[in-house]
Each structure stands twice: as C-alpha cells, then as structure tokens.
Amino acid sequence: TLNIEEKVFAIADQFDHQGKIVQIKPFGNGNINDTFLVDLDGQTQTSFILQRINHQVFKNPAAVMGNMVRVTTHIKQKLQRQPLERPWLMPEVILTKNNQDHWDSGTGEFWRAISFIAGSESFDILTDPAQAKEVGTALGIFHQLLSDLSPSQLVDTLPGFHHTPIYLQQYQRALAQNPKLTGSLGPEINHCQRVIKTWLDQCGVLETAKAQGQLPLRLMHGDPKVNNILFDRQSGKAVSVIDLDTTKPGLIHYDLGDCLRSGCNLLGEETENWSAVEFDLDLCRAILEGYLPQCQHFLTAADYDYLCPAIVLISFELGLRFFTDYLNGDRYFKVKYPEHNLIRALVQFQLASHIQSQEDAIRRMIEDIRG
Ligand code: ADP
Ligand code: MG
Ligand code: MG
C-alpha cells in the first residue's frame, strides 16, 4: 500500500501538467478543503494547486467543478474583451489526462487541480485601510465581472447556504436533547442560546426580501473572507479572488456582509479573546470605498437599503452555524480543540452586537460614499 505522500504524488500525476513533479507540500490556511502545492522541475514549469474537495460539505463535487469552469471561463473571456485597468488573475481549472475537470478516486475522494497564482500572498487579518480598500475593490471586481453571467447558469451546490431561517431550524434540531447542554461550559452555552433568542424574529430579513423580489438574484462568491483574496507580494495590490467552491446564485449582500465581517474584526475570527472583539469602522469605510464604486452601475436602491441589515445578519448567522456545529460534534468546520467552534460562535455573536451598535454610522458611511 502507498503512504500518504506517494498517494498524493500519484493523484497529482492524474492531471494534465507539463513536467516532472519534484515536491508536494500542504499549502495555505484553508478551513474546508485539503490543499497542496505541487512543484514541477525545470524553470519554465509552473507549480499548481492540488485540492481534495471536502466531500462531507460538498455532496456534489462534480457540480462544484462545473460551476468553477463556468465562472473562470466567463471571467477569462470577459477580461480578454474588456481588460481591467489593473492586473487581475483567475485560477484556471487544470483538466485530468482524461479531460475531466476533477479526478474521482472511485472510493469517495474527489480531487481538482488549478493554476497557481505565483508571487501572491493572502492574509487572515487585515491591518491597514489601504489593504482593506484592496479587499473591497477585489470583491467589487469579482461581482462586476460576474454581473452579466446569468445566475441560472450555475448550480446551487449548497442548498440552504446562507438561508438564516434554515440554520435556525438546524440549530433547534441540534438543541433537542443535546448532551453538551449539561456540561461544564454552561455560561458560554447559555450566552449563545440567549443571543440566538433575540434574533428569532429578524433572521429572515434577507430571504424575505429575496422571495418578494425586492432583491435580485445574482451570482455570489459565497466565501469572500479576507484569506480568499490574493495580494501581489510586490505591489501589495489585490490580484485575485479564489476559493470558488461556493459560487452560486444568491444575494451579493451576503458576500459584502461576509467580507466586512471577516475584514473589520481586528482580532480575527480565530481569536480566543472573544469578549474583546470589535468591528472596526475605519476598515469598514475602506472596504466600502473599494467595493461600491466597482458595483454602483448595477446596484439598485433596494440593494443599498439592505446592505446594513446584511452586515449584522451575516455575523450572527456564522455564529449560529459555529454554535450548531459545536452542538453537533464539529461535522462541518474543522476544529483544532474541542471547544473551538463554541469560541468561534462567541466571537461572531460579539461582532454582530458591536456592528449593531454602530449601524447608524455604517448607514451614513454608505450614503456618504455613494455621494
Ligand atoms: P478552502 O476552501 O479550504 O479555504 P482555498 O481554495 O481557499 O480552500 O485554498 C486554501 C488556501 O490555499 C488559500 O487561502 C490560498 O492561500 C491557497 N491557494 C488556493 N488556491 C490558490 C491559487 N490558485 N494560487 C495561490 N494560492 C492558492
Ligand atoms: Mg479558502
Ligand atoms: Mg472554500
């Protein structure tokens, strides 16, 4: 039998790369997939990214890859017709030697290869407004580039994703007779339960607006966290938005909310110091100053009205998902220690409450930037 390293080498060789593989190493800080960097020999050969798709999360990896091919092809063609005024790169899907967009092991593993954006780096935490503005610009460019691809072209690979009322139902199911509720972490768990109670009436606000046709269905990224945006090491400019697993029809509000949520929390979503978590308004302004000009030509008045509610909701929603996953025994989010998902939930709930207390200022900021 092969050891893990030999196994990954053999899988990398299923893909149509040009060269001899010299090294494969685990890469990046992803939470969902297993990511490797594959180095090829020779100076003209570039490295590529090899990923095992998390099949627990994505039940239909073939559809994930179909979406990824659609999106990257659309963006590539659009950039050829109308180049941006700044460097912009899209990872491309590398096919297998049998012309497939992923490799199916036949034993329940699904692997893909994508081109490596060399000379780039990603950050888990934003530190300065210039970087934050780049993040906002990058998300805006991504939305803008997809604004003329019909949402119906993509498959919904994660039904219920970002549907807060559905997460609430999942939470209520997880709660029923849960052994963790009688454990030693009583105060933290009670705190989470209390926070969730205050949200029962408001958590459907975006889904209702979508269902009533107030907010248009568009293509969204689904996971525009700061570490899914690649910066050029030399120029410090954002050059790519990666991690397209969750790109699907939805509301761009979730993306902007998610981006602000992850970008304006200076302690980062992995901090254990949850009670000190804050939402930084300077970074928020910078992200919005990057984002809004890219998208103003297609955003509607209703779109603007729902930006603020979305920013608060999305932090709460993620907290709810972390807490539910904690109760369910960490089935979705990988954990490094047993209470990891509980602490992550507390971080997001703290963030949501701090955003809520600054809602008026954020609303004024949006109006100010719109001019
Ligand atoms: P996950 O869904 O697990 O977050 P990602 O697709 O975001 O997986 O990949 C994990 C990390 O690997 C990224 O944060 C980034 O640092 C790195 N990475 C992924 N794809 C590329 C790429 N095409 N070029 C450069 N780095 C990449
Ligand atoms: Mg990622
Ligand atoms: Mg991902």
Side-chain angles (χ1 to χ4, degrees):
T1 56
L2 297 177
N3 65 33
I4 303 235
E5 201 176 318
E6 287 166 338
K7 180 183 140 184
V8 180
F9 260 82
I11 293 166
D13 250 336
Q14 303 295 319
F15 291 88
D16 191 18
H17 62 82
Q18 313 290 320
K20 181 177 182 304
I21 297 171
V22 290
Q23 190 188 198
I24 301 184
K25 49 182 188 260
F27 193 74
N29 265 343
N31 251 347
I32 300 292
N33 300 302
D34 296 316
T35 302
F36 300 88
L37 181 64
V38 182
D39 288 330
L40 304 175
D41 73 342
Q43 293 184 336
T44 54
Q45 308 302 337
T46 47
S47 307
F48 67 92
I49 292 279
L50 180 68
Q51 287 182 313
R52 175 168 46 200
I53 303 173
N54 186 330
H55 186 35
Q56 287 278 95
V57 171
F58 300 103
K59 307 291 181 210
N60 186 352
V64 168
M65 291 313 294
N67 284 354
M68 197 183 236
V69 170
R70 273 254 146 70
V71 165
T72 53
T73 310
H74 176 84
I75 291 182
K76 191 177 167 192
Q77 290 170 351
K78 184 156 165 160
L79 288 173
Q80 274 163 4
R81 285 195 313 272
Q82 302 162 257
L84 299 178
E85 279 156 14
R86 52 184 284 154
W88 193 256
L89 301 159
M90 252 344 269
E92 283 181 38
V93 175
I94 299 169
L95 300 180
T96 67
K97 288 172 176 159
N98 295 330
N99 263 332
Q100 305 298 307
D101 56 28
H102 65 285
W103 183 73
D104 177 344
S105 70
T107 57
E109 286 191 26
F110 299 85
W111 292 74
R112 67 161 164 247
I114 53 179
S115 58
F116 177 56
I117 311 258
S120 69
E121 60 187 332
S122 62
F123 305 103
D124 288 320
I125 298 177
L126 284 179
T127 46
D128 70 279
Q131 235 176 21
K133 188 170 178 186
E134 281 300 303
V135 164
T137 305
L139 181 63
I141 289 176
F142 184 81
H143 283 166
Q144 187 269 110
L145 288 171
L146 289 182
S147 61
D148 59 344
L149 178 62
S150 163
S152 64
Q153 293 281 309
L154 296 201
V155 176
D156 187 345
T157 50
L158 271 184
F161 185 59
H162 278 328
H163 194 302
T164 321
I166 292 179
Y167 291 122
L168 195 65
Q169 285 170 13
Q170 291 172 352
Y171 158 73
Q172 278 152 349
R173 239 176 285 140
L175 210 55
Q177 294 167 357
N178 198 297
K180 290 191 172 153
L181 299 176
T182 54
S184 59
L185 284 158
E188 284 85 355
I189 291 177
N190 283 338
H191 175 75
C192 289
Q193 289 185 263
R194 266 199 310 275
V195 171
I196 296 167
K197 275 209 184 95
T198 67
W199 274 89
L200 296 180
D201 298 335
Q202 326 152 48
C203 78
V205 54
L206 287 185
E207 285 306 311
T208 305
K210 186 171 87 182
Q212 293 175 344
Q214 277 175 284
L215 293 178
L217 200 62
R218 294 207 180 89
L219 284 177
M220 62 174 202
H221 178 282
D223 193 15
K225 282 188 307 201
V226 171
N227 72 6
N228 285 328
I229 290 168
L230 299 184
F231 287 77
D232 183 79
R233 281 179 196 274
Q234 302 259 292
S235 67
K237 299 269 179 201
V239 285
S240 187
V241 178
I242 58 163
D243 199 351
L244 306 180
D245 293 325
T246 45
T247 304
K248 59 171 223 155
L251 299 176
I252 52 163
H253 293 68
Y254 290 121
D255 277 355
L256 184 61
D258 222 2
C259 182
L260 288 162
R261 174 193 68 64
S262 81
C264 305
N265 166 7
L266 290 169
L267 291 180
E269 61 190 81
E270 291 295 311
T271 180
E272 290 178 31
N273 189 10
W274 61 270
S275 59
V277 165
E278 291 185 346
F279 184 80
D280 187 279
L281 282 187
D282 290 332
L283 293 178
C284 174
R285 171 177 277 279
I287 290 179
L288 290 169
E289 278 173 352
Y291 179 82
L292 292 174
Q294 298 293 334
C295 298
Q296 59 192 7
H297 61 284
F298 64 80
L299 292 179
T300 65
D303 280 328
Y304 283 105
D305 287 343
Y306 280 95
L307 290 181
C308 227
I311 302 166
V312 196
L313 181 70
I314 205 82
S315 307
F316 164 74
E317 181 193 280
L318 183 59
L320 177 66
R321 291 173 60 201
F322 281 140
F323 186 53
T324 304
D325 203 38
Y326 169 72
L327 293 175
N328 282 337
D330 312 312
R331 292 184 211 156
Y332 186 97
F333 299 102
K334 289 189 212 165
V335 289
K336 296 191 173 118
Y337 56 96
E339 280 75 43
H340 202 159
N341 277 324
L342 175 60
I343 304 290
R344 283 168 169 158
L346 291 162
V347 168
Q348 294 305 317
F349 289 153
Q350 185 66 26
L351 192 61
S353 115
H354 197 225
I355 299 171
Q356 222 162 8
S357 70
Q358 303 183 96
E359 248 190 289
D360 287 342
I362 300 171
R363 209 178 294 279
R364 280 197 302 273
M365 213 179 255
I366 293 170
E367 274 162 27
D368 191 35
I369 298 167
R370 279 177 77 186

